[in-house]
Amino acid sequence: MMQITDLQKEQKILPLLRLGFRPFFLFGAAFAVIAIFIWLLMLQGKSDFTPFGGGYWWHLHEMIFGFASAIIAGFLLTAVQNWTGISGIQNKSLLFLVLLWFIPRIALIQPNLLGENITMLLDIAFLPAVAVFLGKPIIKIKQYRNLFFVPLLMLFTLVNIEFYLALMSPENFSVQLSAYAGVMLITLLMSVMVGRVGPMFTANGTQTTKVTNIAWLDKATNGSLALITFYLILHPLVAINLQVLGSLFILAAMFQAIRIARWRPWITIKVPLLWSLHLAVIFIVLGLFFIGYSYFSTELSTSHLWHLLTIGGMGGLILAMISRVSLGHTGRSLQPPKTMSLAFLFIFIAAIIRSFLPLIFPESILSIYQASAGLWYFSFGIFIFHYAPMLLKGRLDGRPG
């Protein structure tokens, strides 16, 4: 039986602070729009902001440790309640975590506000704090299978530290390779999570037989991503061979493609919460393949192609998952608002525009950035419009959460 806070006690808690997904999905989605808007202003020379580390560093860092980390925190702090049967973090403890995430977002764009050292320490402290709140209930009931996510959060913290070290010691640490390591960690986490829930979601949503996972394929799929991730994290100690890196990416794409093909994405076409999830995984495959291929080609720009992974894979899967989780955990049926189908579609179009059009029309690159950003705004803006009222109110069924 779930040890959930009794309903009367929960009614006294602001709905936004009743479970981790509520503030972190809402504020994370809002930050996704704001951060890209500010970045575009910087590129156009229309912004007076001088963020911590400069515009390029700030953009890379904040899309990983501002946007994605908020969503990851919200997802894990909600999932742990389902895993353990122990009430999830809420109220003042949750508010503490939200502020620990939010304050560095402001301070990084206005570094004189708190000073560089305090800003850096607060930012680095967020994910370890999430790991503590995540790990306590898991350890309490000895559910060590899910303890995997605690060291993963600590690896995220290590990458975050590398970001800051790249400013202090650029001869030893690379901002770009640290960013790539961060994106691959997110990809690894997404791959693990979607591997757990993808076949079940597909079977339930299409009323078909659940595809049985193949242990060796899951290990190869996630293991190949882990190899890339560790290779990039170790870049201060190990010289990165681009051909080796490219080969690992193509290998990872192959395993990911075999797994998603087994899930039969073509049967999900009538279910938006499913086809969006499957298409996001397909963009992970495309991203891994084209990034890998670019290391063997002189014609493709690797930096552009990473957006297949970050916009289409990361952004697409995040949008699909937060749309589903928010419905389920607010007591609603798994039927998203109709315009969410456009939101899902447009984020994948944004990924294609941002990744390939700069290679074809380099003279129009700023217009291409604006078009891709506009679709990104639309996708997450639609989520905020429809889901903010759900996240700010109690569950429809009156249950805790």
Side-chain angles (χ1 to χ4, degrees):
M1 183 66 68
M2 267 196 160
Q3 303 169 25
I4 306 298
T5 308
D6 83 23
L7 193 55
Q8 281 190 337
K9 184 178 178 182
E10 176 146 314
Q11 294 299 327
K12 298 176 183 178
I13 301 172
L14 189 71
L16 188 64
L17 297 177
R18 290 181 186 174
L19 204 53
F21 77 97
R22 291 177 175 272
F24 283 116
F25 286 4
L26 180 58
F27 296 149
F31 186 74
V33 175
I34 294 167
I36 292 298
F37 180 72
I38 292 174
W39 171 235
L40 202 58
L41 288 179
M42 290 181 186
L43 288 178
Q44 295 171 316
K46 296 179 180 179
S47 170
D48 294 330
F49 289 121
T50 306
F52 190 109
Y56 178 69
W57 184 95
W58 178 85
H59 170 62
L60 295 177
H61 181 273
E62 289 302 87
M63 295 314 293
I64 297 169
F65 295 102
F67 163 54
S69 289
I71 304 300
I72 290 167
F75 185 84
L76 292 177
L77 292 171
T78 301
V80 72
Q81 177 171 284
N82 294 337
W83 298 338
T84 64
I86 297 173
S87 180
I89 179 177
Q90 57 183 196
N91 208 11
K92 292 180 182 179
S93 297
L94 182 53
L95 178 61
F96 164 76
L97 274 187
V98 171
L99 290 175
L100 191 56
W101 170 82
F102 179 74
I103 292 171
R105 308 288 68 81
I106 302 299
L108 283 168
I109 200 69
Q110 294 284 358
N112 293 329
L113 192 64
L114 297 177
E116 292 187 355
N117 291 337
I118 293 176
T119 298
M120 179 175 63
L121 290 173
L122 287 175
D123 181 55
I124 291 172
F126 173 66
L127 288 175
V130 173
V132 169
F133 284 108
L134 179 69
K136 284 173 66 177
I138 293 173
I139 293 171
K140 186 175 182 179
I141 67 164
K142 300 180 180 179
Q143 196 183 68
Y144 299 121
R145 174 176 178 260
N146 289 317
L147 201 60
F148 157 82
F149 294 101
V150 171
L152 195 65
L153 289 174
M154 299 316 294
L155 278 177
F156 269 111
T157 303
L158 176 60
V159 174
N160 198 7
I161 293 170
E162 286 189 347
F163 255 96
Y164 288 101
L165 289 174
L167 296 177
M168 302 172 189
S169 180
E171 66 278 7
N172 296 314
F173 294 86
S174 164
V175 172
Q176 189 177 68
L177 292 178
S178 297
Y180 290 168
V183 171
M184 291 311 301
L185 264 175
I186 295 168
T187 305
L188 173 59
L189 188 148
M190 292 191 303
S191 179
V192 171
M193 293 305 301
V194 81
R196 290 186 177 192
V197 302
M200 178 183 66
F201 286 176
T202 302
N204 293 345
T206 60
Q207 300 298 302
T208 56
T209 304
K210 178 185 173 183
V211 173
T212 303
N213 286 355
I214 300 175
W216 73 261
L217 180 58
D218 282 339
K219 290 176 181 177
T221 301
N222 298 325
S224 56
L225 294 176
L227 277 176
I228 297 170
T229 303
F230 281 110
Y231 194 30
L232 290 167
I233 289 174
L234 292 173
H235 76 266
L237 304 175
V238 178
I240 301 295
N241 183 299
L242 296 184
Q243 281 68 46
V244 170
L245 187 60
S247 299
L248 289 173
F249 269 100
I250 293 172
L251 184 67
M254 179 185 73
F255 289 127
Q256 200 80 227
I258 294 171
R259 189 172 71 167
I260 187 62
R262 294 189 69 249
W263 296 351
R264 300 164 298 164
W266 52 88
I267 69 175
T268 69
I269 193 68
K270 295 181 180 180
V271 187
L273 287 179
L274 288 179
W275 67 252
S276 56
L277 184 147
H278 282 249
L279 192 52
V281 177
I282 291 170
F283 266 82
I284 291 176
V285 174
L286 293 173
L288 293 170
F289 174 78
F290 278 104
I291 291 167
Y293 181 72
S294 72
Y295 288 118
F296 295 95
S297 170
T298 57
E299 299 176 0
L300 296 178
S301 169
T302 304
S303 61
H304 290 310
L305 294 171
W306 271 91
H307 292 85
L308 286 170
L309 207 53
T310 56
I311 300 176
M314 186 172 84
L317 193 56
I318 282 174
L319 195 61
M321 289 298 292
I322 64 178
S323 299
R324 183 187 185 95
V325 170
S326 297
L327 290 172
H329 281 278
T330 57
R332 290 168 169 81
S333 64
L334 298 179
Q335 296 293 331
K338 291 183 179 180
T339 49
M340 281 305 299
S341 293
L342 283 177
F344 297 143
L345 181 63
F346 281 9
I347 203 163
F348 298 120
I349 297 174
I352 293 170
I353 289 173
R354 179 61 186 84
S355 301
F356 292 116
L357 291 194
L359 306 175
I360 303 170
F361 306 106
E363 70 282 357
S364 303
I365 197 162
L366 189 56
S367 296
I368 291 167
Y369 290 172
Q370 290 170 329
S372 180
L375 293 171
W376 176 273
Y377 302 152
F378 180 89
S379 295
F380 281 97
I382 287 293
F383 172 84
I384 295 164
F385 177 80
H386 286 298
Y387 282 82
M390 304 181 199
L391 299 172
L392 292 169
K393 297 177 183 177
R395 289 180 61 113
L396 283 185
D397 55 14
R399 293 173 55 196

